[in-house]
Amino acid sequence: MIPLQLLDVPAKIISQMGEIMNISYPKQGYTSHVTFVESTKGRYVIKHSKGKQFREWLTKETFVLKCLENVDLPVPQVYDFVLENETDQAWLLMEYIEGQTLRSFLLRETCEVKRHKAIYHFGQMMRKIHLAKCPEELKGDHTWIDSMLMQAEYNLHRYKVDGTKELLDDLERNRPDHVDQTLIHGDLTVDNVLVKDGKINAIIDWSGGAFGDPRYDAALAIRPKPNAFQAREEVDIFFKGYGKQAVNRKEFLYFEEGLYEFF
Ligand SMILES: Nc1ncnc2c1ncn2[C@@H]1O[C@H](COP(=O)(O)OP(=O)(O)O)[C@@H](O)[C@H]1O
Ligand SMILES: [Mg+2]
């Protein structure tokens, strides 16, 4: 029998999972509702989004994950995707990957050696993303920064964002110096990285995946969070794992306190 909480999920998604034995929920993000399903066939994740903006992001995430299928990165496999235009909803059925978010790991872990190991590995993982061969389908017609500024303006006029018109004008006028574009995650915060046995086991939430500016990932990765990246030492260890200091103070401010305010 389908649990009451899954009655709204399209039958096409439900039919793929076998007999459902248990459902549970992780701490939710901001753009979707995620359900973990345990069934006779294994464990699954259903990610559900409502409304134009979040539905589009989930559509984009599914596209990016499919593009990454043959890239050697620990990302969930897509099993199915259903878009319902009439009700403005979308569902992504994907592989469950074990682990807790790096944010919750760092919040609780008191052993410095274990903390440093996970942070170093996070840096190594970002390097792996930036060195991966970027799938051609992710290379757009505009440079990434142009697309992002256009999208920022669109979001400013249509959605509730933290950024202002003045900030956007400032970002337009003071673009960071050119660097080579790479595959980027596009929202590489400690919330979107899963840790298992002290190492990064998965990178999730790929709606921002693109051929873009690697400094954006670096800036979001080291955003200070409760008990995470508060100490300069942790930032240094992250960049040691990455192989170099990927973003300077000015660039960090441009991306983290600037561009990110529109997303
Ligand atoms: N494939 C997955 N495997 C295991 N846990 C997942 C998976 N996808 C999402 N989660 C869990 O759900 C939470 C929210 O998912 P996420 O994709 O980051 O949603 P949002 O876009 O709303 O931030 C994650 O922090 C994680 O705990
Ligand atoms: Mg997330």
Side-chain angles (χ1 to χ4, degrees):
M1 214 170 73
I2 303 167
L4 220 56
Q5 298 92 323
L6 296 184
L7 279 182
D8 291 338
V9 178
K12 180 165 169 278
I13 299 257
I14 295 285
S15 67
Q16 302 199 34
M17 293 186 287
E19 194 186 328
I20 295 170
M21 299 185 300
N22 191 33
I23 60 173
S24 57
Y25 305 97
K27 185 177 183 305
Q28 301 295 324
Y30 300 102
T31 73
S32 67
H33 190 259
V34 170
T35 308
F36 293 158
V37 178
E38 246 183 283
S39 81
T40 43
K41 284 170 75 177
R43 286 172 121 174
Y44 298 85
V45 173
I46 302 174
K47 186 167 175 177
H48 172 225
S49 289
K50 246 184 167 160
K52 184 172 182 295
Q53 185 185 22
F54 297 145
R55 172 175 61 88
E56 279 173 2
W57 286 6
L58 193 56
T59 307
K60 170 86 190 303
E61 175 174 357
T62 306
F63 173 74
V64 175
L65 284 174
K66 286 195 160 167
C67 289
L68 294 176
E69 258 171 9
N70 297 315
V71 177
D72 179 26
L73 288 170
V75 306
Q77 192 187 337
V78 171
Y79 297 134
D80 204 358
F81 176 72
V82 173
L83 182 63
E84 251 182 39
N85 281 318
E86 318 80 64
T87 60
D88 226 3
Q89 299 184 81
W91 291 264
L92 165 62
L93 178 68
M94 64 179 144
E95 177 187 7
Y96 170 87
I97 306 185
E98 280 184 38
Q100 60 173 317
T101 63
L102 181 57
R103 185 207 274 255
S104 79
F105 173 86
L106 291 175
L107 187 64
R108 288 183 199 90
E109 183 57 67
T110 52
C111 169
E112 203 172 76
V113 175
K114 288 184 183 165
R115 294 177 66 84
H116 289 178
K117 183 180 157 199
I119 290 171
Y120 185 84
H121 196 228
F122 182 28
Q124 282 187 318
M125 199 49 91
M126 185 169 85
R127 181 180 175 78
K128 202 168 175 192
I129 296 172
H130 295 168
L131 287 181
K133 187 171 179 329
C134 184
E136 287 302 315
E137 306 94 297
L138 291 181
K139 296 183 178 173
D141 301 333
H142 303 279
T143 61
W144 176 84
I145 189 73
D146 286 340
S147 306
M148 288 295 278
L149 288 168
M150 278 190 274
Q151 186 68 50
E153 185 162 8
Y154 181 90
N155 291 350
L156 176 66
H157 292 123
R158 280 171 189 75
Y159 304 122
K160 198 177 155 317
V161 292
D162 293 329
T164 61
K165 172 90 178 71
E166 293 68 41
L167 176 60
L168 188 57
D169 288 345
D170 198 46
L171 295 175
E172 282 280 4
R173 280 194 302 267
N174 298 296
R175 295 168 186 229
D177 296 337
H178 171 84
V179 293
D180 286 341
Q181 311 226 332
T182 67
L183 172 66
I184 64 166
H185 177 277
D187 192 14
L188 196 61
T189 66
V190 286
D191 290 309
N192 292 328
V193 172
L194 303 183
V195 182
K196 186 179 173 244
D197 300 331
K199 292 186 111 186
I200 308 303
N201 202 37
I203 309 157
I204 58 170
D205 206 359
W206 279 87
S207 64
F211 186 57
D213 191 323
R215 294 170 296 189
Y216 191 57
D217 278 351
L220 299 196
I222 59 166
R223 294 179 89 194
K225 289 278 162 65
N227 210 24
F229 291 107
Q230 298 281 351
R232 177 73 223 176
E233 190 188 14
E234 294 191 344
V235 175
D236 291 343
I237 289 168
F238 174 77
F239 286 130
K240 223 183 224 168
Y242 185 68
K244 66 174 182 192
Q245 169 96 30
V247 63
N248 65 33
R249 180 82 195 145
K250 195 171 154 211
E251 294 159 348
F252 173 81
L253 293 175
Y254 183 92
F255 291 120
E256 202 269 337
E257 287 186 9
L259 195 55
Y260 198 54
E261 299 285 293
F262 298 89
F263 292 88

